[in-house]
Amino acid sequence: MISYLKAVGIRAQLRPLERAAFFAQWREKKLRNIVQGASGAFGNAATRIEAFVAAGGAYVYGSYADIDGLFGEQAIEMDRKKREATLHRLQQLIHEKAMVAPIWELAFINGHGPRLAESGLMLIPMHAYSSPYEDVRLKGK
């Protein structure tokens, strides 16, 4: 990533940190400039937005008033459909404002579909990926 940034004229330097130091500095808002972070946090859209997007979240460096307002609305909404619509609008605003920059996409081979004899997904409980590629079997003809 550093090489790509340097190729377009952005000066950047890699500063490796131990895991505990990184998360402590991230939580205390001491990291500046470019920060690459990834999350495997559990939860639904609302809990993730609370931690990573809405003002006051543990990993939020800045926020937008309209997004904070919508987040507050959905938090008190009792109707499931209205809450879902509000969350979709929140996600759309986050996308439109480019609040996150996905620069890393994990690509794992997952087996699922009508041509498979058995889908490898969820064969291992609480494991999001399919079984090893070598174990994926197609239906016989």
Side-chain angles (χ1 to χ4, degrees):
M1 192 69 214
I2 299 290
S3 299
Y4 292 144
L5 292 171
K6 286 182 179 180
V8 295
I10 298 172
R11 290 182 302 155
Q13 180 180 1
L14 178 64
R15 187 175 62 121
L17 293 170
E18 290 184 9
R19 182 182 174 97
F22 172 76
F23 282 110
Q25 288 182 23
W26 194 4
R27 188 174 32 260
E28 296 164 3
K29 315 283 191 280
K30 290 184 179 177
L31 297 174
R32 296 285 180 241
N33 304 317
I34 299 171
V35 178
Q36 180 177 349
S39 170
F42 291 104
N44 57 21
T47 59
R48 291 169 157 264
I49 289 170
E50 181 179 24
F52 297 99
V53 178
Y59 305 109
V60 177
Y61 276 77
S63 63
Y64 291 93
D66 53 347
I67 289 178
D68 293 339
L70 278 175
F71 180 75
E73 283 179 31
Q74 69 82 33
I76 60 172
E77 181 59 57
M78 298 302 286
D79 182 18
R80 182 182 176 125
K81 291 291 181 189
K82 289 181 183 176
R83 184 178 171 97
E84 181 181 359
T86 306
L87 281 171
H88 284 296
R89 182 67 187 133
L90 267 169
Q91 291 170 329
Q92 184 64 37
L93 281 172
I94 292 166
H95 175 77
E96 289 171 2
K97 294 177 185 287
M99 294 179 73
V100 294
I103 59 172
W104 187 341
E105 181 176 346
L106 299 176
F108 293 97
I109 298 173
N110 290 320
H112 177 71
R115 295 179 45 206
L116 292 176
E118 179 183 17
S119 173
L121 293 173
M122 300 310 292
L123 287 178
I124 303 169
M126 301 299 291
H127 187 69
Y129 310 108
S130 63
S131 62
Y133 182 66
E134 295 81 16
D135 294 343
V136 174
R137 301 285 178 252
L138 299 177
K139 287 182 183 175
K141 292 190 179 197

